[in-house]
Amino acid sequence: MYSVIPYRAAYAQSVSQLFHDAIHAIDEAQYSLADKSAWSAKPRSAYHWHRRMIRSKAWLVIDTRSMHDGLPVCSGFINIEMGFHSRGYIDSLYVHPEYQGKGVAKILYQALELWSREQGYKELSVDASRLSKPLFLSYGFNVNHRSYQEKLGQVIMGYLMSKSLG
């Protein structure tokens, strides 16, 4: 059924499309069409996503029951930054709309937290969207403060959250 695998270059285009599809599936009561279009106007190149993913530690959840372009379907992805200043920052957590509510985000988060603990990370942080805030609260994160990102002239509100691993 579902398997967690490390990110692979062969999935770069799938990750790009998944990100775009997940953004545009968000209910407009959460984020307006203008917000979503600024967040992801169109899928970015596979090259963009490949570079982003290899500069971090990233995992995919694949659905081994379904194939696309000769690969099991990527149903979600997560990545964490490892740089000195951004160490432990969760850069992305996205689940394809068809797989939302099926435990994919939990599988991804558990893989990330286990790896982070094994690496000796003391804290995790994330800029969570309105949509993902309850998910991160359920994993023991606390809200530090609201956060704002400007994308293509749209100000998109979220929450800077953190969790101690100590």
Side-chain angles (χ1 to χ4, degrees), residues 95-112:
V95 175
H96 190 280
E98 292 178 17
Y99 290 89
Q100 292 176 5
K102 297 181 179 179
V104 172
K106 183 177 183 178
I107 293 166
L108 287 163
Y109 176 76
Q110 287 174 336
L112 180 141

Side-chain angles (χ1 to χ4, degrees), residues 4 57-59 77-81 88-93 105-119 121 123-125 136 141 165:
V4 178
K57 180 70 175 168
W59 297 266
F77 69 93
I78 194 169
N79 69 315
I80 185 171
E81 294 182 1
Y89 178 78
I90 301 170
D91 178 51
S92 300
L93 171 57
K106 183 177 183 178
I107 293 166
L108 287 163
Y109 176 76
Q110 287 174 336
L112 180 141
E113 184 175 313
L114 176 64
W115 179 87
S116 298
R117 288 180 183 279
E118 289 171 350
Q119 302 307 306
Y121 284 26
E123 182 180 77
L124 296 175
S125 62
F136 285 105
F141 281 73
L165 297 180

Side-chain angles (χ1 to χ4, degrees), residues 41-56:
K42 63 181 182 177
R44 301 283 304 258
S45 70
Y47 176 78
H48 165 85
W49 276 100
H50 177 65
R51 298 296 304 158
R52 185 170 172 176
M53 300 299 268
I54 63 170
R55 286 192 300 254
S56 62

